[in-house]
Amino acid sequence: MPDFSVTELAVPLFIAAILAEMAWAKLRKQSAYEPKDTLVSLGFGLGSTVAGALLGGFFLAIFIAAYEYRLFDISENWWGPLWAWPVVFVLDDLKYYWVHRAGHRIRWFWAAHVNHHSSQHYNLSTALRQSWTGSFTLGFVFALPLVLIGFHPGMIAVCGGINLVYQFWIHTEAIGKMPRWFEAVMNTPSHHRVHHATNPRYLDRNYAGVFIIWDRMFGTFEAEQDDEPIRYGIIKQLGSFNLLWAVFHEWIGMLSDIVGAPWRHKLSYLLREPGWTHDGSRETSDMIRERWRERTGQSPLNPVADRNSIESPHEAA
């Protein structure tokens, strides 16, 4: 296994970039940063690092055990062969797309991932809002096929670290749209701003990590519209800078719904999409988007909308 962490090596770069963006915000957009919000983001980053250190060894042991049952002997160590790196990097990014999509479509996964979306500000410090509880969702299962194919767990870990470092720079409003060829293939600040939006048009779109091609292939892509300002955060905003509430609020809400639900619906509150209720008292992202389409006259086959009539979504879990 590698004796280094890609994300830890990138920490000085993260700090320098955040300071540079703060200077930009001071001159160009002071609302981009809010001190208490930034402190919460830093708290998330520290807590997720501790959680990873405590639980990372457990999942590594699982991967190493699974590696003994690999189908192909691609590599017996983490550093080679050279040809395998681009292959495993692309496959790992495809894996990220699906685990990220699950993070938005399965409430059990969303309870951990919502942390990343909980800020109403969009800046580089927001990228540090990584989950403390992601290990409890068992999302590591999505990586097991790569191990069983024959890619060494160390290779997968390095690729995952590079993927995470790449995603840091796209959490900014300081960069507009990139050249068309780059926007067509790669995830960019513009694409990822869409992902963090609460506008009905943008809900549950652009799950990509590095390559936006996955969203284009699987029907979840949405381009940023210049004439529709993005509203950041979650549908039901936190309304608090309490770090512990930010970390655990959705777990508390989910467990409360499960306890209070009829027996035949309890499992649905765990496995169905966020916002689903057995009595229809809240809305899912699909319901919010459909209501918006009906109001604006827009549909997947009719992308012409009255953009002056866009409404705010109702609150959902």
Side-chain angles (χ1 to χ4, degrees):
M1 294 298 293
D3 57 359
F4 62 91
S5 167
V6 174
T7 52
E8 290 179 3
L9 290 175
V11 167
L13 175 63
F14 292 167
I15 295 173
I18 290 173
L19 292 175
E21 188 186 44
M22 284 181 172
W24 167 86
K26 186 72 173 178
L27 297 174
R28 301 291 298 274
K29 189 175 182 179
Q30 294 188 19
S31 62
Y33 275 87
E34 201 288 332
K36 291 181 181 179
D37 181 81
T38 302
L39 285 175
V40 171
S41 296
L42 294 174
F44 266 113
L46 178 60
S48 66
T49 300
V50 173
L54 292 176
L55 298 172
F58 172 72
F59 296 112
L60 176 61
I62 293 176
F63 287 157
I64 291 176
Y67 187 65
E68 295 300 316
Y69 299 93
R70 60 191 181 275
L71 298 176
F72 305 101
D73 288 320
I74 295 175
S75 174
E76 295 184 357
N77 48 59
W78 71 267
W79 58 82
L82 185 61
W83 66 263
W85 282 101
V87 177
V88 70
F89 185 81
V90 171
L91 291 178
D92 180 73
D93 193 56
L94 175 60
K95 177 269 296 180
Y96 177 86
Y97 169 88
W98 284 109
V99 73
H100 192 187
R101 187 165 175 172
H104 283 255
R105 305 299 297 174
I106 301 172
R107 195 176 181 190
W108 177 26
F109 283 66
W110 174 246
H113 183 61
V114 66
N115 300 161
H116 186 61
H117 289 263
S118 58
S119 175
Q120 291 181 253
H121 299 267
Y122 191 75
N123 53 57
L124 292 174
S125 76
T126 305
L128 304 181
R129 290 197 176 217
Q130 300 297 318
S131 176
W132 296 10
T133 59
S135 299
F136 297 117
T137 65
L138 304 182
F140 73 92
V141 171
F142 286 77
L144 284 178
L146 298 181
V147 176
L148 293 173
I149 288 173
F151 294 107
H152 193 277
M155 296 183 73
I156 298 171
V158 171
C159 287
I162 296 172
N163 195 305
L164 192 62
V165 170
Y166 179 91
Q167 291 184 57
F168 173 78
W169 78 277
I170 62 178
H171 290 82
T172 185
E173 293 183 301
I175 299 174
K177 291 188 176 181
M178 309 290 286
R180 180 178 295 182
W181 66 267
F182 195 82
E183 295 274 346
V185 178
M186 308 299 291
N187 200 6
T188 65
S190 177
H191 295 329
H192 206 58
R193 285 192 289 268
V194 166
H195 181 68
H196 276 257
T198 62
N199 310 49
R201 174 198 296 272
Y202 298 143
L203 288 175
D204 286 352
R205 291 295 183 262
N206 297 3
Y207 297 115
V210 174
F211 301 112
I212 199 66
I213 56 174
W214 310 125
D215 288 285
R216 297 183 186 277
M217 289 173 59
F218 300 119
T220 54
F221 175 76
E222 187 73 40
E224 182 181 20
Q225 302 298 317
D226 294 334
D227 58 351
E228 183 173 346
I230 288 178
R231 300 184 296 274
Y232 298 108
I234 53 181
I235 299 302
K236 185 176 181 180
Q237 303 289 7
L238 286 177
S240 169
F241 293 116
N242 184 302
L243 177 59
L244 293 180
W245 175 247
V247 172
F248 297 110
H249 76 278
E250 183 61 16
W251 288 103
I252 294 171
M254 182 180 69
L255 292 174
S256 177
D257 284 341
I258 292 173
V259 170
W263 278 102
R264 66 181 182 277
H265 295 300
K266 289 184 184 297
L267 192 59
S268 293
Y269 279 102
L270 186 71
L271 299 179
R272 293 200 58 162
E273 61 272 31
W276 179 89
T277 56
H278 70 281
D279 58 3
S281 59
R282 297 196 294 266
E283 292 182 301
T284 66
S285 60
D286 291 338
M287 295 164 65
I288 293 171
R289 187 182 302 105
E290 183 59 32
R291 180 165 50 79
W292 168 75
R293 284 174 176 162
E294 291 175 357
R295 178 181 173 86
T296 60
Q298 181 155 342
S299 71
L301 299 179
N302 177 29
V304 178
D306 177 8
R307 293 171 184 166
N308 295 320
S309 303
I310 295 172
E311 62 178 341
S312 297
H314 290 178
E315 289 190 348

